[in-house]
Every structure is written in C-alpha cells, then in structure tokens.
Amino acid sequence: MLSVGVNGYGTIGKRVADAVRAQPDMVVQGVGKTSPGHVADNALAAGYSLYAPSDDEKASFEGAGTDVAGTVEDLVAESDVIVDATPGGVGEQNRTLYEQLETPAVFQGAEAPAVAETSFNARANYDEARDASYVRVVSCNTTGLSRLLAPLKETYGIETVRATLIRRGGDPDQPSRGPINDILPDPITVPSHHGPDVQTIFPSLSIDTMGVTVPATLMHLHGVNVTLESTADVDAVRDLLAKESRIFVVPESARIEGCGALREFARDSGRPRGDIWENCVWGESISVEGDEFYCFQAIHQEADVVPENVDALRAMFDLKDAAESIATTDERLGLSLRQRSRDSERVLTGRACDD
Ligand code: NAD
C-alpha cells in the first residue's frame, strides 16, 4: 500500500485525501493543516491524523485542544509520497523539504510548471509521469480542456483550438473572492495564460484562450471551438465524447439547463459534497460544421482534478498503466453520472433515454 501524505487540507486537499482513502492500493498517512477549527475537527472525525507546518502552529492546535500527530516534516518523513495541495507558490517552497527527505511529491495547478518534472493529465500524458519524482497536476480549467481535446486530437487531429473560459469568481468558502456584481475580462489581455498551460500537456498544440471571471462559485463554463484536421460527423463526435469515462455528455432529456442544475443533479445523485469529477458537455451544444467543432462544457473546479491526483500517484510509482489506473480510480470513486442520468430520465418521463 502506498502511504500518501496530503499537505494542505483545503478545497483540493480534503477531496484528494478522501479519494486516496477509497483506493485499494493506497492509504492516507495524514494531512498537513495550518490551523485548528471546523475543517481540522472534521479531518480528525474522518480518521485523518493532523500534522502542523511548524512547532508554533502545533502549539496552537494543542492550545485549542485539537490532537496533532506531529509536524509536516514528520508527515513528509513518514509518507512514501506527498500530495501538496497548499496555495499557489507554497508548494514550490515546500519542494526543498521534500527533496531533503527524498520524498516524491505531486503539486497542483497554481504552481509554475517548473516545480515538477512533468505536468500531468491522466487521459492525455499518463506515461510521462511514470517513475517521475515530482509531478504537477494541471489546473481545473486545463484538466477540463485536456480531457476534451485528447480524444478529438487522437481521432480527427487538431489544427487549432479557441476557447473562452467563463470562470467562477471563487469557491463557496472564499468570502474575500469576487467580483460580487461585475463581469471581468480576466485577464484583459488576449490570449490568456490558459493556452500555454494546456501546452504543458500538448506541447505542439495551436491554442488561444480568453478568460472571463463572473460572480459565481458553482463551476467554470467553457465555450470551445476546435478546427479539426479532418471533417467529422456530429453523431460520431457525440459518441466519441460519451465513451470517455471522465466526460459526462449531458442528455437533452435530463433537462439540465445550467451549472446550478448540474450541481443539484450531483447532490441528488448522492455525490460526496455534490462533487462532479467529470467534464459536463451539453449534448445539444455539440456542433460540427465540416471541420469545425463547437461545444459548451462545465467544469466543477473543486472536483475535476481529484481523480487526476490519484492517477498521478499510480503513474509515479508505476503501479498500473493508464487505462487500469483510470478504471480503478473511477470505479472506487463511483463515476456513474451517465448511468444516473438514464435513471433520472426514467423518473422524469418514464421512458428510456436514447442519448
Ligand atoms: P485552499 O486555500 O482551499 O487550501 C489550501 C490549504 O493549504 C489550506 O487549508 C491552507 O490552510 C493550507 N496551507 C497554507 N499554507 C500551508 C503550509 N505552509 N503548509 C501546509 N498547509 C498550508 O486552496 P485550494 O483551492 O485547495 O488550492 C490548492 C491548490 O490546488 C492550488 O495550487 C490551486 O491552484 C489548485 N487547484 C484549486 C482548485 C480550486 O478551484 N479550488 C482547482 C484546481 C486546482
């Protein structure tokens, strides 16, 4: 069993810890947490040992009556590998400690690509992380684009990609983020930095992106146009995407008209925290005119990178090949929205869904 320490128990770290614990070949050694409070209390209640970044912070936990197993240095020494889910830039600082203790690490998307030997998306470049000591799981938006582009590139070839990323202003637990009542070109300059981040996964891909930030916490929404290298049939493209385990092609019959309904659907489906690990591509939005592909997809920013972290761990330790790892992760997490959509169709209309 691979012993995994999760350093940084926030939005991503708490979800990665739960996902690691659900796997048959890995365990959670403990979680690094900066301060006591409800998140730390819930981590303990979930059975995770807490480790504080320093002796001062350890004392603050003890002062609050919260059990601490040690410092983050102890956690790094006791773990086979660390998933670093601290805020952007902190991971880079932490790498020195990981190197000193010869503990491999997975970093997250806000770190610069140079923090790791390779950037990672399980569907697109799993093998590049095999036997690597430092791997960076790309951001939620880059993960979403990579999952969509990989099958299109393999099947039709890609001449160029243009995508507008309408991004949520913050996560639900971030009261200081915004805007509250505005719609921001973000960044105002074109193209945005997202295209180069996708190129850390597909180095020779021609891609331009534009960013917008809106007052929402639910999900990101991407409007994507891909010029393919060959002409395609719209039904064939829809089938191609529907076969991807981490793409949920939202059927028209489900009557899901926006990101709020998607999240409600996930909560009603019994997903933990209402998480949606898959890209959600509206089936009706998939359009193909000659070699031009278009679609809208929604990305649950808190969730889509979570299975990718699990697969990155398996790739680094050569535990399984890409297909086996993805299948195991998906099975253990329960990626079954597709099936559930058929169930909900039966409930809604009493007839089988033909999407
Ligand atoms: P977060 O602020 O929710 O969580 C970070 C956690 O790290 C917090 O619990 C914080 O207390 C802790 N922390 C801070 N300094 C620490 C230190 N020195 N040692 C140990 N813990 C420390 O952040 P997040 O949203 O989970 O983001 C973490 C990483 O994941 C970032 O690189 C981010 O870009 C990436 N990411 C975030 C999202 C998202 O939408 N939230 C999506 C994909 C990727």
Side-chain angles (χ1 to χ4, degrees), residues 269-302:
S269 300
R271 283 288 176 93
R273 302 183 174 96
D275 281 353
I276 307 179
W277 299 295
E278 303 92 334
N279 292 20
C280 299
V281 178
W282 273 277
E284 297 155 273
S285 77
I286 297 172
S287 305
V288 181
E289 291 170 23
D291 55 5
E292 296 289 341
F293 162 91
Y294 301 86
C295 79
F296 281 123
Q297 67 170 0
I299 302 295
H300 184 197
Q301 76 282 354
E302 298 167 293

mmCIF file of all heavy atoms in Angstrom, residues 269-302:
data_model
loop_
_atom_site.group_PDB
_atom_site.id
_atom_site.type_symbol
_atom_site.label_atom_id
_atom_site.label_comp_id
_atom_site.label_asym_id
_atom_site.label_seq_id
_atom_site.Cartn_x
_atom_site.Cartn_y
_atom_site.Cartn_z
ATOM 1 N N SER A 269 -27.791 12.895 -6.795
ATOM 2 C CA SER A 269 -27.246 11.588 -7.157
ATOM 3 C C SER A 269 -26.421 10.985 -6.032
ATOM 4 O O SER A 269 -25.881 9.890 -6.179
ATOM 5 C CB SER A 269 -26.356 11.709 -8.402
ATOM 6 O OG SER A 269 -27.090 12.205 -9.483
ATOM 7 N N GLY A 270 -26.281 11.717 -4.944
ATOM 8 C CA GLY A 270 -25.552 11.188 -3.798
ATOM 9 C C GLY A 270 -24.053 11.399 -3.853
ATOM 10 O O GLY A 270 -23.306 10.775 -3.097
ATOM 11 N N ARG A 271 -23.607 12.285 -4.748
ATOM 12 C CA ARG A 271 -22.175 12.551 -4.824
ATOM 13 C C ARG A 271 -21.682 13.229 -3.539
ATOM 14 O O ARG A 271 -22.340 14.161 -3.053
ATOM 15 C CB ARG A 271 -21.874 13.479 -6.010
ATOM 16 C CG ARG A 271 -21.900 12.796 -7.365
ATOM 17 C CD ARG A 271 -20.689 11.898 -7.510
ATOM 18 N NE ARG A 271 -20.696 11.153 -8.747
ATOM 19 C CZ ARG A 271 -20.095 11.562 -9.868
ATOM 20 N NH1 ARG A 271 -19.510 12.738 -9.921
ATOM 21 N NH2 ARG A 271 -20.111 10.794 -10.925
ATOM 22 N N PRO A 272 -20.505 12.798 -3.000
ATOM 23 C CA PRO A 272 -19.974 13.462 -1.809
ATOM 24 C C PRO A 272 -19.710 14.941 -2.102
ATOM 25 O O PRO A 272 -19.143 15.274 -3.141
ATOM 26 C CB PRO A 272 -18.667 12.702 -1.533
ATOM 27 C CG PRO A 272 -18.325 12.012 -2.809
ATOM 28 C CD PRO A 272 -19.624 11.745 -3.509
ATOM 29 N N ARG A 273 -20.152 15.797 -1.231
ATOM 30 C CA ARG A 273 -20.013 17.258 -1.373
ATOM 31 C C ARG A 273 -20.674 17.782 -2.661
ATOM 32 O O ARG A 273 -20.415 18.894 -3.089
ATOM 33 C CB ARG A 273 -18.540 17.693 -1.365
ATOM 34 C CG ARG A 273 -17.767 17.294 -0.100
ATOM 35 C CD ARG A 273 -16.339 17.828 -0.127
ATOM 36 N NE ARG A 273 -15.659 17.586 1.113
ATOM 37 C CZ ARG A 273 -14.848 16.542 1.342
ATOM 38 N NH1 ARG A 273 -14.611 15.678 0.389
ATOM 39 N NH2 ARG A 273 -14.271 16.396 2.511
ATOM 40 N N GLY A 274 -21.474 16.970 -3.316
ATOM 41 C CA GLY A 274 -22.064 17.377 -4.601
ATOM 42 C C GLY A 274 -21.017 17.495 -5.697
ATOM 43 O O GLY A 274 -21.182 18.241 -6.662
ATOM 44 N N ASP A 275 -19.922 16.729 -5.554
ATOM 45 C CA ASP A 275 -18.800 16.869 -6.492
ATOM 46 C C ASP A 275 -19.100 16.251 -7.855
ATOM 47 O O ASP A 275 -19.709 15.185 -7.955
ATOM 48 C CB ASP A 275 -17.546 16.206 -5.914
ATOM 49 C CG ASP A 275 -16.866 17.086 -4.867
ATOM 50 O OD1 ASP A 275 -17.283 18.255 -4.695
ATOM 51 O OD2 ASP A 275 -15.924 16.611 -4.214
ATOM 52 N N ILE A 276 -18.607 16.936 -8.896
ATOM 53 C CA ILE A 276 -18.687 16.402 -10.258
ATOM 54 C C ILE A 276 -17.257 16.263 -10.763
ATOM 55 O O ILE A 276 -16.611 17.261 -11.078
ATOM 56 C CB ILE A 276 -19.512 17.308 -11.195
ATOM 57 C CG1 ILE A 276 -20.885 17.600 -10.579
ATOM 58 C CG2 ILE A 276 -19.662 16.641 -12.559
ATOM 59 C CD1 ILE A 276 -21.761 18.504 -11.420
ATOM 60 N N TRP A 277 -16.758 15.034 -10.824
ATOM 61 C CA TRP A 277 -15.370 14.786 -11.232
ATOM 62 C C TRP A 277 -15.226 14.858 -12.746
ATOM 63 O O TRP A 277 -14.116 14.971 -13.251
ATOM 64 C CB TRP A 277 -14.934 13.399 -10.734
ATOM 65 C CG TRP A 277 -14.969 13.262 -9.240
ATOM 66 C CD1 TRP A 277 -14.190 13.935 -8.340
ATOM 67 C CD2 TRP A 277 -15.813 12.394 -8.460
ATOM 68 N NE1 TRP A 277 -14.497 13.536 -7.052
ATOM 69 C CE2 TRP A 277 -15.485 12.584 -7.099
ATOM 70 C CE3 TRP A 277 -16.803 11.465 -8.788
ATOM 71 C CZ2 TRP A 277 -16.115 11.890 -6.066
ATOM 72 C CZ3 TRP A 277 -17.427 10.778 -7.761
ATOM 73 C CH2 TRP A 277 -17.082 10.991 -6.417
ATOM 74 N N GLU A 278 -16.332 14.735 -13.478
ATOM 75 C CA GLU A 278 -16.281 14.689 -14.939
ATOM 76 C C GLU A 278 -16.431 16.089 -15.547
ATOM 77 O O GLU A 278 -17.025 16.975 -14.945
ATOM 78 C CB GLU A 278 -17.443 13.835 -15.495
ATOM 79 C CG GLU A 278 -17.510 12.418 -14.973
ATOM 80 C CD GLU A 278 -18.389 12.257 -13.731
ATOM 81 O OE1 GLU A 278 -18.561 13.247 -12.972
ATOM 82 O OE2 GLU A 278 -18.897 11.143 -13.516
ATOM 83 N N ASN A 279 -15.943 16.241 -16.800
ATOM 84 C CA ASN A 279 -16.359 17.379 -17.628
ATOM 85 C C ASN A 279 -17.833 17.181 -17.934
ATOM 86 O O ASN A 279 -18.251 16.049 -18.206
ATOM 87 C CB ASN A 279 -15.664 17.366 -18.998
ATOM 88 C CG ASN A 279 -14.186 17.622 -18.942
ATOM 89 O OD1 ASN A 279 -13.548 17.461 -17.918
ATOM 90 N ND2 ASN A 279 -13.636 18.007 -20.089
ATOM 91 N N CYS A 280 -18.612 18.243 -17.927
ATOM 92 C CA CYS A 280 -20.024 18.127 -18.315
ATOM 93 C C CYS A 280 -20.227 18.851 -19.644
ATOM 94 O O CYS A 280 -20.219 20.085 -19.690
ATOM 95 C CB CYS A 280 -20.916 18.749 -17.242
ATOM 96 S SG CYS A 280 -20.756 17.937 -15.645
ATOM 97 N N VAL A 281 -20.359 18.078 -20.716
ATOM 98 C CA VAL A 281 -20.514 18.639 -22.064
ATOM 99 C C VAL A 281 -21.988 18.526 -22.451
ATOM 100 O O VAL A 281 -22.530 17.409 -22.493
ATOM 101 C CB VAL A 281 -19.647 17.867 -23.084
ATOM 102 C CG1 VAL A 281 -19.851 18.436 -24.494
ATOM 103 C CG2 VAL A 281 -18.173 17.920 -22.698
ATOM 104 N N TRP A 282 -22.632 19.654 -22.708
ATOM 105 C CA TRP A 282 -24.044 19.580 -23.099
ATOM 106 C C TRP A 282 -24.147 18.948 -24.485
ATOM 107 O O TRP A 282 -23.577 19.471 -25.462
ATOM 108 C CB TRP A 282 -24.668 20.969 -23.095
ATOM 109 C CG TRP A 282 -25.209 21.352 -21.751
ATOM 110 C CD1 TRP A 282 -26.418 21.025 -21.229
ATOM 111 C CD2 TRP A 282 -24.532 22.111 -20.735
ATOM 112 N NE1 TRP A 282 -26.536 21.523 -19.950
ATOM 113 C CE2 TRP A 282 -25.408 22.200 -19.615
ATOM 114 C CE3 TRP A 282 -23.288 22.723 -20.648
ATOM 115 C CZ2 TRP A 282 -25.071 22.875 -18.447
ATOM 116 C CZ3 TRP A 282 -22.952 23.391 -19.483
ATOM 117 C CH2 TRP A 282 -23.838 23.461 -18.401
ATOM 118 N N GLY A 283 -24.875 17.827 -24.552
ATOM 119 C CA GLY A 283 -25.022 17.110 -25.815
ATOM 120 C C GLY A 283 -25.564 18.005 -26.916
ATOM 121 O O GLY A 283 -25.100 17.957 -28.057
ATOM 122 N N GLU A 284 -26.545 18.850 -26.559
ATOM 123 C CA GLU A 284 -27.139 19.726 -27.590
ATOM 124 C C GLU A 284 -26.162 20.772 -28.108
ATOM 125 O O GLU A 284 -26.363 21.341 -29.181
ATOM 126 C CB GLU A 284 -28.344 20.472 -27.009
ATOM 127 C CG GLU A 284 -29.485 19.605 -26.570
ATOM 128 C CD GLU A 284 -30.293 20.332 -25.499
ATOM 129 O OE1 GLU A 284 -29.951 20.229 -24.314
ATOM 130 O OE2 GLU A 284 -31.256 21.013 -25.878
ATOM 131 N N SER A 285 -25.135 21.078 -27.328
ATOM 132 C CA SER A 285 -24.193 22.123 -27.758
ATOM 133 C C SER A 285 -23.156 21.581 -28.729
ATOM 134 O O SER A 285 -22.461 22.354 -29.390
ATOM 135 C CB SER A 285 -23.484 22.734 -26.545
ATOM 136 O OG SER A 285 -22.460 21.871 -26.049
ATOM 137 N N ILE A 286 -23.022 20.254 -28.813
ATOM 138 C CA ILE A 286 -22.006 19.679 -29.704
ATOM 139 C C ILE A 286 -22.449 19.921 -31.147
ATOM 140 O O ILE A 286 -23.484 19.426 -31.584
ATOM 141 C CB ILE A 286 -21.830 18.163 -29.433
ATOM 142 C CG1 ILE A 286 -21.327 17.941 -28.008
ATOM 143 C CG2 ILE A 286 -20.869 17.551 -30.454
ATOM 144 C CD1 ILE A 286 -21.300 16.470 -27.581
ATOM 145 N N SER A 287 -21.672 20.749 -31.837
ATOM 146 C CA SER A 287 -21.990 21.077 -33.230
ATOM 147 C C SER A 287 -20.754 20.831 -34.071
ATOM 148 O O SER A 287 -19.640 21.110 -33.630
ATOM 149 C CB SER A 287 -22.366 22.549 -33.382
ATOM 150 O OG SER A 287 -23.410 22.869 -32.531
ATOM 151 N N VAL A 288 -20.958 20.316 -35.264
ATOM 152 C CA VAL A 288 -19.847 20.128 -36.191
ATOM 153 C C VAL A 288 -20.294 20.638 -37.554
ATOM 154 O O VAL A 288 -21.327 20.222 -38.072
ATOM 155 C CB VAL A 288 -19.434 18.642 -36.297
ATOM 156 C CG1 VAL A 288 -18.244 18.494 -37.249
ATOM 157 C CG2 VAL A 288 -19.089 18.061 -34.932
ATOM 158 N N GLU A 289 -19.507 21.604 -38.083
ATOM 159 C CA GLU A 289 -19.762 22.085 -39.449
ATOM 160 C C GLU A 289 -18.489 21.865 -40.229
ATOM 161 O O GLU A 289 -17.512 22.591 -40.029
ATOM 162 C CB GLU A 289 -20.129 23.567 -39.425
ATOM 163 C CG GLU A 289 -21.490 23.832 -38.797
ATOM 164 C CD GLU A 289 -21.728 25.320 -38.556
ATOM 165 O OE1 GLU A 289 -21.087 26.145 -39.229
ATOM 166 O OE2 GLU A 289 -22.543 25.623 -37.681
ATOM 167 N N GLY A 290 -18.455 20.818 -41.059
ATOM 168 C CA GLY A 290 -17.220 20.478 -41.784
ATOM 169 C C GLY A 290 -16.157 20.033 -40.797
ATOM 170 O O GLY A 290 -16.303 19.015 -40.125
ATOM 171 N N ASP A 291 -15.094 20.865 -40.688
ATOM 172 C CA ASP A 291 -14.028 20.500 -39.746
ATOM 173 C C ASP A 291 -14.069 21.375 -38.487
ATOM 174 O O ASP A 291 -13.118 21.381 -37.716
ATOM 175 C CB ASP A 291 -12.657 20.584 -40.423
ATOM 176 C CG ASP A 291 -12.394 21.950 -41.044
ATOM 177 O OD1 ASP A 291 -13.242 22.853 -40.870
ATOM 178 O OD2 ASP A 291 -11.341 22.120 -41.685
ATOM 179 N N GLU A 292 -15.162 22.122 -38.279
ATOM 180 C CA GLU A 292 -15.267 22.997 -37.102
ATOM 181 C C GLU A 292 -16.144 22.339 -36.033
ATOM 182 O O GLU A 292 -17.316 22.028 -36.272
ATOM 183 C CB GLU A 292 -15.884 24.348 -37.488
ATOM 184 C CG GLU A 292 -15.046 25.170 -38.446
ATOM 185 C CD GLU A 292 -13.778 25.749 -37.817
ATOM 186 O OE1 GLU A 292 -13.704 25.823 -36.573
ATOM 187 O OE2 GLU A 292 -12.855 26.092 -38.582
ATOM 188 N N PHE A 293 -15.571 22.154 -34.852
ATOM 189 C CA PHE A 293 -16.293 21.565 -33.709
ATOM 190 C C PHE A 293 -16.567 22.667 -32.695
ATOM 191 O O PHE A 293 -15.712 23.512 -32.428
ATOM 192 C CB PHE A 293 -15.415 20.480 -33.071
ATOM 193 C CG PHE A 293 -15.820 20.090 -31.665
ATOM 194 C CD1 PHE A 293 -16.714 19.054 -31.443
ATOM 195 C CD2 PHE A 293 -15.300 20.766 -30.557
ATOM 196 C CE1 PHE A 293 -17.084 18.699 -30.146
ATOM 197 C CE2 PHE A 293 -15.662 20.415 -29.265
ATOM 198 C CZ PHE A 293 -16.562 19.387 -29.060
ATOM 199 N N TYR A 294 -17.750 22.632 -32.102
ATOM 200 C CA TYR A 294 -18.119 23.590 -31.048
ATOM 201 C C TYR A 294 -18.801 22.841 -29.902
ATOM 202 O O TYR A 294 -19.521 21.862 -30.129
ATOM 203 C CB TYR A 294 -19.130 24.626 -31.552
ATOM 204 C CG TYR A 294 -18.690 25.459 -32.717
ATOM 205 C CD1 TYR A 294 -18.875 24.995 -34.023
ATOM 206 C CD2 TYR A 294 -18.104 26.713 -32.531
ATOM 207 C CE1 TYR A 294 -18.476 25.757 -35.105
ATOM 208 C CE2 TYR A 294 -17.707 27.480 -33.617
ATOM 209 C CZ TYR A 294 -17.894 27.004 -34.901
ATOM 210 O OH TYR A 294 -17.500 27.747 -35.987
ATOM 211 N N CYS A 295 -18.602 23.334 -28.683
ATOM 212 C CA CYS A 295 -19.414 22.837 -27.566
ATOM 213 C C CYS A 295 -19.313 23.768 -26.376
ATOM 214 O O CYS A 295 -18.424 24.629 -26.309
ATOM 215 C CB CYS A 295 -19.000 21.425 -27.139
ATOM 216 S SG CYS A 295 -17.522 21.362 -26.119
ATOM 217 N N PHE A 296 -20.259 23.613 -25.452
ATOM 218 C CA PHE A 296 -20.161 24.193 -24.110
ATOM 219 C C PHE A 296 -19.854 23.059 -23.147
ATOM 220 O O PHE A 296 -20.485 21.983 -23.217
ATOM 221 C CB PHE A 296 -21.502 24.796 -23.669
ATOM 222 C CG PHE A 296 -21.804 26.143 -24.257
ATOM 223 C CD1 PHE A 296 -22.976 26.334 -24.983
ATOM 224 C CD2 PHE A 296 -20.965 27.228 -24.058
ATOM 225 C CE1 PHE A 296 -23.288 27.583 -25.512
ATOM 226 C CE2 PHE A 296 -21.270 28.477 -24.586
ATOM 227 C CZ PHE A 296 -22.433 28.651 -25.315
ATOM 228 N N GLN A 297 -18.906 23.295 -22.230
ATOM 229 C CA GLN A 297 -18.692 22.318 -21.166
ATOM 230 C C GLN A 297 -18.558 23.053 -19.835
ATOM 231 O O GLN A 297 -18.002 24.144 -19.758
ATOM 232 C CB GLN A 297 -17.471 21.441 -21.432
ATOM 233 C CG GLN A 297 -16.137 22.145 -21.382
ATOM 234 C CD GLN A 297 -14.960 21.161 -21.415
ATOM 235 O OE1 GLN A 297 -15.136 19.943 -21.473
ATOM 236 N NE2 GLN A 297 -13.735 21.678 -21.367
ATOM 237 N N ALA A 298 -19.091 22.424 -18.781
ATOM 238 C CA ALA A 298 -18.965 22.961 -17.426
ATOM 239 C C ALA A 298 -17.958 22.111 -16.664
ATOM 240 O O ALA A 298 -17.907 20.891 -16.824
ATOM 241 C CB ALA A 298 -20.319 22.932 -16.726
ATOM 242 N N ILE A 299 -17.163 22.788 -15.843
ATOM 243 C CA ILE A 299 -16.097 22.131 -15.086
ATOM 244 C C ILE A 299 -16.281 22.463 -13.616
ATOM 245 O O ILE A 299 -16.280 23.646 -13.233
ATOM 246 C CB ILE A 299 -14.712 22.663 -15.559
ATOM 247 C CG1 ILE A 299 -14.505 22.439 -17.056
ATOM 248 C CG2 ILE A 299 -13.581 22.069 -14.718
ATOM 249 C CD1 ILE A 299 -14.441 20.993 -17.483
ATOM 250 N N HIS A 300 -16.437 21.420 -12.793
ATOM 251 C CA HIS A 300 -16.532 21.667 -11.343
ATOM 252 C C HIS A 300 -15.111 21.816 -10.803
ATOM 253 O O HIS A 300 -14.393 20.837 -10.624
ATOM 254 C CB HIS A 300 -17.284 20.533 -10.645
ATOM 255 C CG HIS A 300 -17.486 20.816 -9.191
ATOM 256 N ND1 HIS A 300 -17.824 19.861 -8.281
ATOM 257 C CD2 HIS A 300 -17.366 21.976 -8.488
ATOM 258 C CE1 HIS A 300 -17.908 20.419 -7.081
ATOM 259 N NE2 HIS A 300 -17.632 21.682 -7.183
ATOM 260 N N GLN A 301 -14.760 23.073 -10.530
ATOM 261 C CA GLN A 301 -13.366 23.401 -10.211
ATOM 262 C C GLN A 301 -12.863 22.715 -8.952
ATOM 263 O O GLN A 301 -11.663 22.435 -8.827
ATOM 264 C CB GLN A 301 -13.212 24.925 -10.087
ATOM 265 C CG GLN A 301 -13.738 25.548 -8.793
ATOM 266 C CD GLN A 301 -15.264 25.712 -8.761
ATOM 267 O OE1 GLN A 301 -15.938 25.455 -9.748
ATOM 268 N NE2 GLN A 301 -15.794 26.159 -7.631
ATOM 269 N N GLU A 302 -13.760 22.425 -8.022
ATOM 270 C CA GLU A 302 -13.326 21.811 -6.760
ATOM 271 C C GLU A 302 -13.039 20.314 -6.922
ATOM 272 O O GLU A 302 -12.466 19.701 -6.020
ATOM 273 C CB GLU A 302 -14.415 21.979 -5.695
ATOM 274 C CG GLU A 302 -14.722 23.422 -5.342
ATOM 275 C CD GLU A 302 -16.010 23.520 -4.534
ATOM 276 O OE1 GLU A 302 -17.091 23.225 -5.089
ATOM 277 O OE2 GLU A 302 -15.930 23.891 -3.362
#
